[in-house]
């Protein structure tokens, strides 16, 4: 089974990488880009029967830094 | 309006970052993790009326390296 985890910086945490992308898009002539936030997506290929709770533990312990990042889990 | 772009390494392209996560999850005692792929998610805050086609151009020109990466656009 598959799980997908999205990890994004929390609102209010400065995102220099996203800011660089926003600036670069402007330089390339794409107007109207008001904000860009960049995060990670992690696709996990798991043994059958793995619960969302287990994936949550993975996030808390390794995948996300919960001080500055929030995460969202999609089981598929 | 918002758009979200997922950028993942194409199948067959080695993903050392994902492999490192897989190994680390095993070391932490999470069994049964058969594979991990790590990618990027980019959230764009765009001017009203921006089309998916414009976002596709952003991907082709800047956000994804289409030689080794595939991308997927979600308009919201």
């Amino acid at each position: 089974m598959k799980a997908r985890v999205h990890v994004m910086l929390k609102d209010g945490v400065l995102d220099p990488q996203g800011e660089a992308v926003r600036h670069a898009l402007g330089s390339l002539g794409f107007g109207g880009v008001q904000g860009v936030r960049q995060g990670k997506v992690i696709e996990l290929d798991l043994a059958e029967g793995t619960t969302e709770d287990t994936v949550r533990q993975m996030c808390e312990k390794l995948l996300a830094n919960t001080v500055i990042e929030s995460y969202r889990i999609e089981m598929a």
Side-chain angles (χ1 to χ4, degrees), chain A residues 4 8 27 54 62 74:
Chain A
R4 183 178 289 139
M8 298 295 292
S27 304
T54 305
L62 180 74
E74 275 171 32

Side-chain angles (χ1 to χ4, degrees), chain A residues 4 13 18 26 39 53 59 70 72:
Chain A
R4 183 178 289 139
V13 178
D53 198 56
C59 291
S70 60
R72 187 163 55 81

Side-chain angles (χ1 to χ4, degrees), chain A residues 2-65:
Chain A
K2 301 252 185 191
R4 183 178 289 139
V5 176
H6 289 85
V7 180
M8 298 295 292
L9 284 168
K10 287 182 178 169
D11 286 341
V13 178
L14 207 66
D15 180 2
Q17 210 171 1
E19 199 52 30
V21 170
R22 193 182 65 77
H23 188 78
L25 286 172
S27 304
L28 287 170
F30 294 105
V33 182
Q34 286 143 20
V36 179
R37 306 281 288 174
Q38 185 169 329
K40 289 181 289 188
V41 56
I42 301 157
E43 287 184 358
L44 301 158
D45 198 358
L46 299 166
E48 283 306 315
T50 307
T51 61
E52 186 167 335
D53 198 56
T54 305
V55 179
R56 182 162 293 115
Q57 284 177 42
M58 292 177 185
C59 291
E60 294 284 337
K61 286 194 182 164
L62 180 74
L63 303 179
N65 174 354

